[in-house]
Amino acid sequence: MSAGSTSAHSPDWTLRSAATADIELIAELRATVMRADLERLGRYDEHRVRQRLRDGFSTRHTSIIVIDRALAGCVTVRPAEGRQWLEHFYLAPHVQGRGLGSAVLRTVLERTDAQGMTVGLNVLQGSAARRLYERHGFVVEAQDPVDVFMVRPPGARAATPAARA
């Protein structure tokens, strides 16, 4: 699977299938990326944040985001409950804020749209990632004090900036 740069700020990148050897790198990435939000919510546990990734890790459904032959992030898309679930979408801090998340998400959503599949996900309350998902057509389906559950039907487009205001 390959992709590429989408703007002057977004680096060239590719997706490759995950391997069992990637699990500890991804577990560390998850702990790093989620720490601030989990601490803010009073839910950070140094062991649990890594173990939850290990417990649900699937090489079959996970792709590694690669920049310059190095792991820059990951994304999992797995079928369940009549939809595709977007999970474990993490970018290394040094590549965040440069359009990479949008580029990867567009690629993933093009594939799910081609399959006619609805995509579900959950994001932590107050996470900046929620804005990324809203820009790509996700809407809130349910929420609780910790999680926001979002959904995107095939081909959904985000509301225009004027409509969101």
Side-chain angles (χ1 to χ4, degrees):
M1 293 180 271
S2 65
S5 182
T6 58
S7 75
H9 300 289
S10 179
D12 286 333
W13 58 279
T14 58
L15 291 175
R16 69 162 172 81
S17 295
T20 304
D22 295 318
I23 194 167
E24 291 307 316
L25 288 171
I26 296 170
E28 286 305 312
L29 177 61
R30 180 179 198 269
T32 299
V33 170
M34 294 189 68
R35 184 175 189 138
D37 282 331
L38 288 170
E39 284 179 340
R40 179 179 44 76
L41 293 167
R43 299 188 57 93
Y44 184 77
D45 176 302
E46 193 165 320
H47 173 73
R48 186 171 185 254
V49 71
R50 291 168 177 84
Q51 194 59 44
R52 286 196 64 185
L53 180 283
R54 292 178 191 118
D55 290 346
F57 185 73
S58 164
T59 57
R60 181 176 176 198
H61 301 295
T62 302
S63 297
I64 303 299
I65 304 160
V66 179
I67 298 175
D68 295 331
R69 296 186 299 271
L71 185 145
C74 62
V75 62
T76 299
V77 181
R78 78 174 166 83
E81 302 167 20
R83 58 177 63 168
Q84 295 286 333
W85 283 95
L86 179 69
E87 303 172 320
H88 304 304
F89 186 15
Y90 311 119
L91 297 177
H94 72 278
V95 298
Q96 293 178 9
R98 300 178 1 194
L100 179 60
S102 285
V104 171
L105 188 54
R106 267 193 306 276
T107 298
V108 167
L109 294 175
E110 286 169 4
R111 293 175 187 166
T112 59
D113 285 351
Q115 298 168 349
M117 295 296 297
T118 294
V119 179
L121 61 83
N122 70 295
V123 63
L124 292 172
Q125 286 283 3
S127 172
R130 179 175 170 174
R131 290 189 305 276
L132 169 70
Y133 300 129
E134 288 172 338
R135 285 195 308 268
H136 290 272
F138 284 86
V139 295
V140 174
E141 184 175 49
Q143 53 187 315
D144 62 31
V146 175
D147 292 301
V148 178
F149 298 90
M150 303 183 80
V151 65
R152 180 189 179 274
R157 299 285 178 244
T160 62
R164 286 191 301 241

